[in-house]
Amino acid sequence: MSVISGDSILNKEDIAQIESEGKPLEKVLLEVETFKRGIPYVNLSRPATIGSGIVAIDPSELGRLSKIFDESAAAGRMMKFTPASGAASRMFKLLLSFYHREEAFSKEEITHRAAKGEEEFEEFLEFLDGLELFAFYDELQAVMSENGLDIKELADKGLYREILEYILTGKGLDYASLPKGLIKFHSYDGASRNALDEHLVEAASYAKDRDGICRVHFTLSEEHKGMIESHIDAVKGKYQKDHLTLEVGYSIQNHKTDTIAVDMDNLPFRDADGRLLFRPAGHGALLENMNNLKGDIIFVKNIDNVVPDRLKGDTFLYKKVLAGYLAELQEEIFSLLRNLDEDKESEDLLSIALQFMREKLLINIPQSVENAGLKELSAFVFSRLNRPARVCGMVKNEGEPGGGPFWIKGKDGTDSLQIVEKSQVDIESDEQKAVLEGATHFNPVDLVCGVRDYRGEPFDLMKFADPDTGFISIKSNDGSQLKALELPGLWNGAMADWISIFVEVPISTFNPVKTVLDLLRREHQA
């Protein structure tokens, strides 16, 4: 059957499959065209730095901003939104590698190869030496003891594969199959907490209203939904203290947001049964989940960025500061919009609004707008102010992988502030690579989002995403290479047309757990 320009790209069975999965055919065809066309790189102008895109808050302001936060939180404006659908398999990549090796290694050989500088053996030796420091150690020992096994005895004999089996598979903790949120991160006296627990503790400390209601929302994968809900039902009671009620909600990434995969020739990829393959479209697809919440001020933070209680002080303080900064900023924006509603072509009011946009929101005004009449100028100002706003914490760049804050050149020729991932940049260009490497700060995914307008109505967040900022990556399926398409990232292109303010926060607020070895860092030892 001919579907696109005379090419037999999709057949009747394909179309029936697409329709049965509730996907618009036009959307699928556009995705195929995106693979063929490619996604344009962003055009970096310069890194955002302190005084040029990043705000450094004076310490004397912390208390005042915290107080503004307290007033907004008491009014019930706050909600915590945590993407928690990620599996822990990547976290245990190192251990899975050694578990699936056919050969066995003695402690002496591991130590010898580590001393020779073989990185994988260096890391595995670090894991073995730190085994008792992991928060899951006691549970691991207990489940192995039930089968007459002792971790230390096995380690002394070099029988590491059995230890790994009890960590990774259903014979023991089954950590390679669990969501990351259920992995035990931190030990306390007589207890331990996983990442989900730590997020509940965080939320209880700064997101409750005057009635003690604390709203938390987790996005989950379908396969892990039951176990996560059961866990939170079992533990939330011990975190609901001092008249606090944790109101926990969940949502699943909509499968209708999955995108078609193509082969290396940009033709639809087919699985072993000849059916089209659709893949989850990355965290950008969670914009729909956030949009459906119809919230007010929403904290966004990754599931793995938590610390034990002894280090939570800075996290709590700067969560309040970022939200207080946003609430104060919103009040100024809303006041301008209300006044513009009453007098849309007031020269004085438009002059004040333009100055505010330049100095406080760091919005560059196109020359064509500057030269326009009052009606056109008013429409521009109103449009640029009446949109979602976010205040994003940024930490000093200390070599962590991931995106950062940059000024990028837009289609209208003006620069705007955006969070940019390395994959969005043409690193073959010496100029663009130099700008990328000149970044002074890093995006730790520490966002506070204002998603209601000046009338108190929720924005349709889907209208403020940039569809040209997705990602194409190379994946595999049953040994065959394919191309996968991700939607614009949740804090990248999905929020490209928001009002964005970048604020420096201490590096102590950023302690992600990307691999199991990160749990051995001093910051994750209680």
Side-chain angles (χ1 to χ4, degrees):
M1 176 179 175
S2 177
V3 177
I4 303 178
S5 305
D7 298 327
S8 298
I9 294 178
L10 301 178
N11 56 42
K12 291 181 180 179
E13 289 76 17
D14 296 334
I15 294 174
Q17 178 188 346
I18 291 168
E19 291 175 347
S20 70
E21 296 186 12
K23 302 178 188 298
L25 178 60
E26 295 78 9
K27 176 177 177 292
V28 174
L29 299 182
L30 284 174
E31 289 169 2
V32 175
E33 287 302 304
T34 298
F35 283 111
K36 293 181 176 181
R37 185 180 68 250
I39 295 176
Y41 292 117
V42 298
N43 185 1
L44 299 180
S45 290
R46 63 191 188 281
T49 58
I50 297 294
S52 179
I54 300 178
V55 177
I57 295 177
D58 191 287
S60 65
E61 289 285 281
L62 300 181
R64 186 182 66 81
L65 292 171
S66 294
K67 186 176 180 181
I68 294 173
F69 162 83
D70 289 338
E71 294 169 353
S72 298
R77 300 187 65 191
M78 305 298 165
M79 175 185 289
K80 184 173 170 62
F81 179 88
T82 303
S85 54
S89 51
R90 273 187 282 181
M91 179 178 168
F92 293 100
K93 182 180 177 181
L94 171 72
L95 305 192
L96 285 165
S97 170
F98 276 88
Y99 175 67
H100 289 298
R101 289 172 185 245
E102 294 184 3
E103 68 270 46
F105 301 99
S106 66
K107 180 69 175 290
E108 290 73 19
E109 184 174 358
I110 292 171
T111 303
H112 174 68
R113 294 183 68 166
K116 288 172 59 180
E118 295 186 41
E119 184 177 1
E120 199 171 21
F121 283 86
E122 288 178 331
E123 292 177 345
F124 192 57
L125 182 61
E126 182 183 353
F127 166 77
L128 294 174
D129 289 343
L131 193 54
E132 292 184 51
L133 298 176
F134 289 104
F136 55 77
Y137 181 82
D138 289 344
E139 184 181 8
L140 176 65
Q141 180 62 75
V143 72
M144 293 182 72
S145 295
E146 292 175 1
N147 290 281
L149 299 174
D150 181 85
I151 296 176
K152 291 182 179 178
E153 289 181 7
L154 290 172
D156 289 341
K157 295 176 182 178
L159 301 175
Y160 305 119
R161 195 172 186 279
E162 283 198 74
I163 298 173
L164 296 180
E165 185 175 27
Y166 275 86
I167 294 173
L168 299 171
T169 76
K171 195 171 184 178
L173 305 183
D174 203 20
Y175 271 9
S177 300
L178 292 183
K180 187 180 280 191
L182 287 175
I183 305 301
K184 289 190 173 181
F185 273 23
H186 302 138
S187 296
Y188 299 91
D189 290 338
S192 59
R193 291 184 200 149
N194 59 34
L196 286 165
D197 295 337
E198 295 291 18
H199 276 280
L200 293 179
V201 172
E202 269 199 26
S205 299
Y206 60 73
K208 61 185 177 183
D209 63 21
R210 62 171 56 92
D211 296 319
I213 305 297
C214 178
R215 297 166 183 84
V216 188
H217 188 91
F218 295 105
T219 65
L220 313 176
S221 65
E222 189 73 60
E223 62 178 314
H224 297 139
K225 184 175 185 289
M227 65 177 72
I228 286 180
E229 287 183 338
S230 296
H231 173 79
I232 290 181
D233 285 344
V235 303
K236 72 177 183 179
K238 63 183 175 181
Y239 304 126
Q240 295 182 140
K241 300 176 181 178
D242 302 321
H243 308 292
L244 172 78
T245 300
L246 284 163
E247 193 175 276
V248 183
Y250 310 93
S251 62
I252 305 298
Q253 182 171 317
N254 191 339
H255 288 299
K256 291 182 181 179
T257 65
D258 291 355
T259 53
I260 192 169
V262 299
D263 62 22
M264 303 311 287
D265 293 320
N266 296 319
L267 296 174
F269 185 93
R270 301 177 187 281
D271 62 19
D273 297 322
R275 289 173 57 83
L276 299 175
L277 179 66
F278 292 90
R279 296 176 52 88
H283 55 67
L286 298 179
L287 181 67
E288 183 175 308
N289 299 60
M290 182 186 287
N291 197 41
N292 291 338
L293 291 177
K294 308 301 181 187
D296 187 354
I297 292 179
I298 301 178
F299 295 94
V300 180
K301 187 179 180 184
N302 279 340
I303 185 67
D304 59 19
N305 183 17
V306 288
V307 290
D309 289 350
R310 67 181 179 84
L311 295 177
K312 284 188 171 71
D314 279 354
T315 293
F316 294 167
L317 172 61
Y318 278 89
K319 279 286 187 291
K320 293 182 176 183
V321 168
L322 293 178
Y325 194 100
L326 174 64
E328 184 175 61
L329 196 68
Q330 280 186 316
E331 191 50 49
E332 294 179 82
I333 294 170
F334 293 168
S335 177
L336 284 168
L337 288 170
R338 292 188 194 104
N339 290 333
L340 280 170
D341 240 356
E342 296 178 4
D343 189 355
K344 289 184 171 57
E345 297 184 23
S346 166
E347 288 192 55
D348 290 341
L349 182 56
L350 287 171
S351 178
I352 292 170
L354 287 171
Q355 183 178 2
F356 172 76
M357 291 166 66
R358 291 191 194 95
E359 296 179 3
K360 197 68 180 283
L361 304 184
L362 305 181
I363 294 174
N364 287 303
I365 315 298
Q367 192 61 47
S368 59
V369 172
E370 296 271 17
N371 298 333
L374 288 179
K375 185 176 181 179
E376 292 82 0
L377 183 59
S378 177
F380 172 84
V381 168
F382 202 92
S383 170
R384 292 305 301 267
L385 290 179
N386 192 32
R387 57 184 62 202
R390 58 177 177 163
V391 175
C392 313
M394 296 291 168
V395 297
K396 289 183 178 176
N397 194 334
E398 295 189 353
E400 294 284 355
F406 291 88
W407 291 96
I408 72 167
K409 187 73 69 178
K411 295 173 184 176
D412 63 1
T414 63
D415 290 346
S416 68
L417 285 168
Q418 301 288 344
I419 295 172
V420 178
E421 301 290 334
K422 183 178 179 180
S423 59
Q424 294 178 271
V425 181
D426 181 8
I427 58 174
E428 297 300 316
S429 163
D430 291 340
E431 178 187 0
Q432 292 291 287
K433 185 178 180 181
V435 176
L436 181 70
E437 293 176 346
T440 61
H441 287 70
F442 171 81
N443 164 44
V445 189
D446 191 0
L447 285 67
V448 186
C449 303
V451 296
R452 287 182 177 262
D453 66 17
Y454 69 105
R455 294 162 298 188
E457 298 295 324
F459 285 107
D460 180 357
L461 303 181
M462 312 305 288
K463 294 181 178 179
F464 299 90
D466 182 354
D468 291 333
T469 54
F471 303 85
I472 294 176
S473 54
I474 306 300
K475 304 289 184 180
S476 65
N477 180 271
D478 292 333
S480 298
Q481 278 196 318
L482 58 82
K483 293 181 183 181
L485 176 65
E486 293 191 13
L487 294 175
L490 183 58
W491 39 86
N492 310 110
M495 298 180 177
D497 289 337
W498 291 35
I499 294 169
S500 295
I501 302 295
F502 300 154
V503 172
E504 185 178 53
V505 296
I507 189 70
S508 58
T509 63
F510 180 57
N511 292 285
V513 177
K514 300 304 180 186
T515 77
V516 67
L517 296 183
D518 288 332
L519 291 173
L520 296 177
R521 290 185 180 185
R522 181 179 58 83
E523 292 82 6
H524 289 287
Q525 296 297 308

